Amino acid sequence: MNDVARASLDGKIALVTGAAGGLGQAFAERLAQDGAHAVLVDIKPCAETAALVEAAGREAMSVICDITSEESVAYLAAEVEIRFGRCDILVNNAGIYPIQPFEQVTFADWRRVMALNLDAVFLVTKAFAPGMKRRGFGRVVNISSSTLNTVASGYTHYIASKGGVVGFTRALATELGNHGVTVNAISPSLTRTPGTEGRAPRQGRASMDEEFEQIARLQAIRRVQMPADLAGVVSFLASDDAAFITGQTLYADGGMVRV
Ligand SMILES: NC(=O)c1ccc[n+]([C@@H]2O[C@H](COP(=O)([O-])OP(=O)(O)OC[C@H]3O[C@@H](n4cnc5c(N)ncnc54)[C@H](O)[C@@H]3O)[C@@H](O)[C@H]2O)c1
């Protein structure tokens, strides 16, 4: 690690949801490498991510928490208050992406996707953004998806939830912009993570490897997106250099979406 180049988040407290693996793990590791202590939140143990954060020389606090529960998020906020007294950077990352044709989506399916992908973004932000506003500094980074623009089939609930994330990002940025708190989103293309690798491929594709390659060919940069392609973008949005960027959705997707 190059300490000179990477000290922009020195001493900051960064909370990442869905931090046990996948993108959340990459974000937490990179934020730690760039100087932040990390609060790792997931329904699964975050021991592996905690080890990466500690290897970067920062403190890791792991909290098992179902962020779709208001009660659990209140517990999380209380624990963070006790341990660190604040949260400076919030990465709302945890999300699910089940593929279901609209006819098969029950209201329970719809609610399950909304509960994690949108309601939990509200709950966790509600728990930590007021403190950021009070202290006059904060960074909220939400994770949307390029599917919002490419509009893949089987994703009515997912795309609706990620559109909600973009709307929430813009609206909250408006309210917090004058208080030192920025709110932005990133929009990735299909990225190799345990979640996507473990998924069944879409109809007509033999394997997820084939699907990864096919999607990559639609991007301007025709290789499969990896978590490392996004981690630095999140860290940048969390940094002082991004202090004048807010309400934006950054398409970090290899040129999948060109707007
Ligand atoms: N991987 C991709 O291709 C891709 C593309 C665009 C957007 N995204 C978005 O990025 C985010 C992360 O995706 P990923 O591929 O790393 O997912 P993943 O499935 O690999 O990891 C998600 C993590 O969230 C955790 N989680 C699930 N339910 C939770 C809950 N109720 N409370 C707390 N944690 C919970 C899981 O345990 C898991 O560790 C999601 O919001 C996803 O929609 C992913």
Side-chain angles (χ1 to χ4, degrees):
M1 193 177 80
N2 182 340
D3 282 333
V4 178
R6 294 188 169 187
S8 59
L9 306 180
D10 227 5
K12 295 277 192 303
I13 310 300
L15 187 150
V16 181
T17 67
L23 294 181
Q25 179 174 87
F27 298 156
E29 182 184 20
R30 176 60 191 258
L31 291 167
Q33 287 170 345
D34 289 352
H37 304 298
V39 181
L40 311 171
V41 181
D42 206 295
I43 47 172
K44 292 194 276 194
C46 290
E48 197 180 293
T49 311
L52 293 168
V53 168
E54 283 160 6
R58 311 297 161 185
E59 288 178 47
M61 172 189 183
S62 302
V63 185
I64 300 269
C65 175
D66 176 358
I67 56 170
T68 65
S69 152
E70 189 174 5
E71 209 182 343
S72 301
V73 172
Y75 165 81
L76 167 67
E79 290 294 300
V80 172
E81 182 61 32
I82 291 166
R83 172 79 179 261
F84 290 119
R86 68 184 202 282
C87 166
D88 306 304
I89 299 161
L90 168 60
V91 185
N92 284 310
N93 163 74
I96 47 172
Y97 31 78
I99 299 175
Q100 290 174 293
F102 180 63
E103 289 77 11
Q104 288 170 21
V105 177
T106 64
F107 187 52
D109 295 328
W110 176 271
R111 279 302 323 141
R112 199 164 68 87
V113 170
M114 290 298 163
L116 182 60
N117 293 8
L118 192 54
D119 297 355
V121 172
F122 166 79
L123 286 175
V124 180
T125 307
K126 182 92 181 155
F128 295 103
M132 295 177 180
K133 180 179 170 182
R134 254 193 332 272
R135 289 185 298 275
F137 179 88
R139 297 281 185 268
V140 180
V141 183
N142 300 320
I143 314 301
S144 184
S145 167
S146 63
T147 55
L148 182 59
N149 296 73
T150 58
V151 201
S153 62
Y155 265 164
T156 48
H157 41 16
Y158 181 70
I159 290 175
S161 72
K162 292 301 185 182
V165 166
V166 170
F168 178 70
T169 299
R170 291 178 186 159
L172 189 64
T174 306
E175 293 196 26
L176 299 182
N178 223 21
H179 301 275
V181 182
T182 66
V183 187
N184 292 290
I186 65 163
S187 183
S189 180
L190 181 65
T191 310
R192 266 192 191 277
T193 65
T196 52
E197 283 176 333
R199 211 179 68 181
R202 283 175 180 278
Q203 237 179 355
R205 287 166 180 162
S207 65
M208 272 312 293
D209 277 343
E210 189 182 318
E211 184 162 332
F212 283 124
E213 292 304 329
Q214 279 190 6
I215 297 288
R217 281 198 289 276
L218 300 173
Q219 299 161 187
I221 301 170
R222 292 184 201 88
R223 67 160 172 81
V224 179
Q225 183 156 35
M226 300 301 290
D229 293 317
L230 298 160
V233 181
V234 168
S235 187
F236 164 68
L237 289 173
S239 74
D240 287 341
D241 284 341
F244 212 60
I245 300 174
T246 197
Q248 304 303 310
T249 297
L250 224 160
Y251 296 90
D253 62 1
M256 170 63 92
V257 177
R258 278 149 268 179
V259 289

